[in-house]
Amino acid sequence: PAAGAGMLMLESLDSALDRGARIHGEVLGGHINCGGHRGGGSMTAPNPDSVRRCIRAALSDADISAEQLDAINGHLTATIADPREIKAWADALQLPAERFPAITATKSMIGHGLGAAGAMESVASLLMLKHQRLHPSINCEDIHPEIAAYAHAIPQQSQAKAGLRTIAKSSFGFGDVNAVVIFRAWDN
């Protein structure tokens, strides 16, 4: 487990512009659901069908296609659940492995912030958009054989990513509750 906190202020564009706020990005859409502790879901593992539905619903709410997603900041906890999460993303996006977007694991660098993880990783997602740079997924040099086809999408080192515009942040966690939010870089 890690310690920390993250906070984002959500407000209307008019309000942010009126007060001269520094805008870090915009929320295009999102979705939250619960797997109901069925179909493989439990207190500590998400139901894969609900994960796929959550991803698809978030993309629909954001009104973007899978091809418009530049990167994913996954839930990815460095457990046996990681290959299942990548598979759920692949199934939901329905993209061939070679077109799978970059996917990062913030927890690989800072640990699992438990209840604060989603907020901390949302901040990390917005910073990646702002700096046009993907953070690495450290300590995962030995890619699980089930996701070897996606190894190219897992940055091992920080890398510049010009044109990084849209990132999905997912949290698939305790209680079989799933959330995906789609952020876009702010372009005045």
Side-chain angles (χ1 to χ4, degrees):
M7 186 185 92
L8 300 171
M9 181 171 169
L10 297 176
E11 64 182 313
S12 71
L13 179 59
D14 288 340
S15 172
L17 292 173
D18 285 348
R19 66 182 191 83
R22 183 181 335 156
I23 300 173
H24 293 281
E26 62 182 307
V27 176
L28 293 183
H31 192 73
I32 186 168
N33 70 12
C34 179
H37 296 227
R38 296 179 182 89
S42 70
M43 186 58 190
T44 58
N47 171 327
D49 290 331
S50 292
V51 167
R52 287 187 289 275
R53 282 195 307 272
C54 190
I55 294 166
R56 289 178 185 137
L59 291 171
S60 176
D61 187 53
D63 196 25
I64 65 168
S65 67
E67 291 84 6
Q68 292 172 290
L69 193 58
D70 297 316
I72 301 163
N73 189 347
H75 183 73
L76 303 167
T77 57
T79 66
I80 193 61
D82 289 4
R84 288 184 227 140
E85 180 177 341
I86 301 286
K87 173 113 173 64
W89 274 104
D91 291 348
L93 298 178
Q94 298 181 341
L95 295 173
E98 61 273 7
R99 291 203 350 249
F100 194 78
I103 186 163
T104 61
T106 303
K107 289 176 187 75
S108 72
M109 299 185 301
I110 64 171
H112 198 318
L114 302 175
M120 294 186 318
E121 294 169 8
S122 290
V123 170
S125 297
L126 288 167
L127 289 172
M128 286 189 278
L129 290 174
K130 177 182 178 182
H131 297 292
Q132 297 287 282
R133 189 156 206 90
L134 295 171
H135 70 57
S137 297
I138 63 172
N139 301 316
C140 67
E141 295 80 14
D142 298 328
I143 302 295
H144 193 283
E146 290 179 22
I147 56 171
Y150 303 95
H152 70 280
I154 303 168
Q156 301 292 315
Q157 298 176 349
S158 176
Q159 58 185 240
K161 176 92 170 161
L164 182 62
R165 300 266 313 129
T166 308
I167 190 168
K169 170 61 204 123
S170 61
S171 293
F172 306 131
F174 292 120
D176 198 9
V177 175
N178 310 302
V180 175
V181 63
I182 311 291
F183 294 110
R184 183 169 57 194
W186 172 247
D187 184 2
N188 195 7

